[in-house]
Amino acid sequence: MKRSMALMVCALSSAMVLGSFSPVMAGGIKTVQTAVKDGEVSETEKADSKEDNQEDTAEEIAKEENGTTDSAADTTLEDGVYTAEFDTDSSMFAVNEAKDGKGELVVKDGKMTIHVNLKGKGILNLFMGTAEDAKKEGAELLEPTEDEVTYSDGYSEKVYGFDIPVPAIDEEFDVALIGKKDKWYDHKVKVTNPVKADDSAGEGSEDTKKMTAEDLKLEDGSYTVEVTMEGGTGRATIESPAAIEVKDGDVTATIVWSSPNYDYMLVGDKKYEPVNKDGNSTFEIPVDGFDYPMEVTADTVAMSTPHEIDYTLQFDSSSIKEADK
């Protein structure tokens, strides 16, 4: 009997202890069960999530300020020649219509310069910066080059061109200009959509067979031959047909450029100087074969600094004719 009474007292004591805590525990258990069941997040989890989001946001802001966001576009270009669009905030300060809004972008050692042809000769100088700074003593002005443009109807004229340093692709920068009225004007410009010149032309195809003078049984003498050129931006051209001279199986071509601004050519490892002093640059270079894209390099001084540009020349053997005597 005493033992039974003792057991009953212990049971009642345990019930009272559990009862004093059961509302909290039950409530907590019920809350957790309900949250899990309904897919909700507890207040504690919400607070933790909010804190994590704040930390993530602060980290993203820091990345943006430091220019290290993962989504930032990599606009670094490898050295070479590109065509690129040159956009301005003025219809008066714009690329000549013959160039379809594009210029020749040259990248060398990480520095970018775009050559653009303007609408005429009304703009005398450019300045990298604002008009206010352009007026200051010692301001370095960009000087124009005189370029020839040819329109779709075949009409050609001389216009001014400029070599403009490009600080970054797809970002606006300040360029001031001065015209014949001797007044500086502020403008915003942007260079976009660079496309590298196609260098695949030199590879040729499996069906391409290089023909030599011996293959063609060309006797010593003077001839003309149609020649096509690829590479660069297409702004420069060469005369076709070109004159060639055959002697002891060796072929030498006279290449006449559309510009006087080429100061040497490279064929293989050998350098060739112009054979003329006045007029468009003219060179006499060896031709090691016909009917295939022969790789050459030409150096132009039309830009602010000289630049070597790769081209391919293809001489069409089917067009060879004896030169007029």
Side-chain angles (χ1 to χ4, degrees):
M1 181 69 177
K2 289 181 180 180
R3 180 178 177 82
S4 299
M5 290 295 293
L7 291 172
M8 290 178 63
V9 170
C10 290
L12 288 171
S13 298
S14 298
M16 290 176 65
V17 171
L18 290 172
S20 64
F21 288 98
S22 60
V24 176
M25 294 177 64
I29 294 171
K30 182 178 181 181
T31 301
V32 173
Q33 289 175 338
T34 303
V36 173
K37 181 178 180 181
D38 296 340
E40 297 174 354
V41 180
S42 69
E43 291 300 321
T44 302
E45 290 172 319
K46 287 181 179 178
D48 291 342
S49 177
K50 182 177 181 181
E51 185 176 345
D52 290 342
N53 287 340
Q54 288 174 341
E55 290 177 356
D56 291 344
T57 302
E59 184 179 356
E60 289 301 320
I61 292 173
K63 285 184 178 181
E64 290 178 4
E65 290 177 348
N66 294 326
T68 58
T69 55
D70 295 335
S71 61
D74 183 6
T75 55
T76 302
L77 299 176
E78 64 180 18
D79 286 5
V81 180
Y82 300 74
T83 57
E85 296 178 12
F86 184 76
D87 302 317
T88 76
D89 57 4
S90 170
S91 60
M92 300 301 294
F93 176 37
V95 177
N96 189 285
E97 64 179 84
K99 298 302 179 180
D100 194 28
K102 299 177 182 179
E104 182 180 78
L105 179 70
V106 176
V107 182
K108 188 171 185 179
D109 299 329
K111 295 182 178 180
M112 299 182 289
T113 303
I114 189 168
H115 185 85
V116 295
N117 299 123
L118 301 184
K119 292 187 173 183
K121 296 184 177 182
I123 296 175
L124 304 181
N125 291 106
L126 298 180
F127 175 76
M128 295 297 295
T130 64
E132 181 179 356
D133 290 336
K135 299 173 186 176
K136 295 179 180 178
E137 184 177 354
E140 296 184 5
L141 307 184
L142 301 181
E143 299 292 337
T145 60
E146 186 177 71
D147 304 329
E148 184 176 64
V149 297
T150 302
Y151 300 95
S152 58
D153 61 0
Y155 174 73
S156 298
E157 69 170 338
K158 300 285 187 179
V159 299
Y160 279 163
F162 285 90
D163 297 314
I164 303 173
V166 180
I169 300 297
D170 295 328
E171 293 182 12
E172 280 191 341
F173 55 95
D174 293 310
V175 175
L177 65 83
I178 188 171
K180 295 180 179 179
K181 294 183 179 180
D182 199 29
K183 181 179 179 180
W184 284 99
Y185 297 90
D186 284 314
H187 289 285
K188 295 284 188 182
V189 306
K190 183 165 62 173
V191 176
T192 61
N193 300 324
V195 178
K196 195 169 186 181
D198 183 11
D199 56 4
S200 63
E203 298 176 0
S205 64
E206 295 181 357
D207 296 332
T208 300
K209 181 181 179 181
K210 180 170 69 174
M211 302 293 288
T212 65
E214 183 178 359
D215 294 330
L216 298 170
K217 296 180 171 48
L218 287 178
E219 298 179 355
D220 288 0
S222 299
Y223 301 83
T224 63
V225 61
E226 296 287 343
V227 56
T228 56
M229 181 179 74
E230 294 188 13
T233 61
R235 188 158 58 93
T237 60
I238 58 174
E239 288 187 4
S240 179
I244 59 173
E245 190 76 21
V246 180
K247 186 175 182 180
D248 298 330
D250 294 327
V251 181
T252 301
T254 300
I255 301 299
V256 182
W257 290 84
S258 60
S259 163
N261 296 317
Y262 289 89
D263 60 343
Y264 65 83
M265 289 185 68
L266 298 174
V267 181
D269 296 329
K270 191 169 182 180
K271 183 176 181 179
Y272 295 86
E273 306 284 347
V275 295
N276 63 322
K277 294 182 178 180
D278 300 316
N280 289 341
S281 302
T282 302
F283 298 86
E284 292 180 352
I285 63 171
V287 177
D288 63 352
F290 299 84
D291 303 329
Y292 92 106
M294 187 179 87
E295 296 179 352
V296 300
T297 299
D299 188 74
T300 177
V301 295
M303 302 180 183
S304 53
T305 57
H307 291 285
E308 290 184 351
I309 302 175
D310 294 329
Y311 297 95
T312 60
L313 304 180
Q314 184 152 324
F315 298 87
D316 181 7
S317 65
S318 66
S319 68
I320 296 175
K321 297 180 180 179
E322 289 190 11
D324 295 334
K325 296 180 180 181

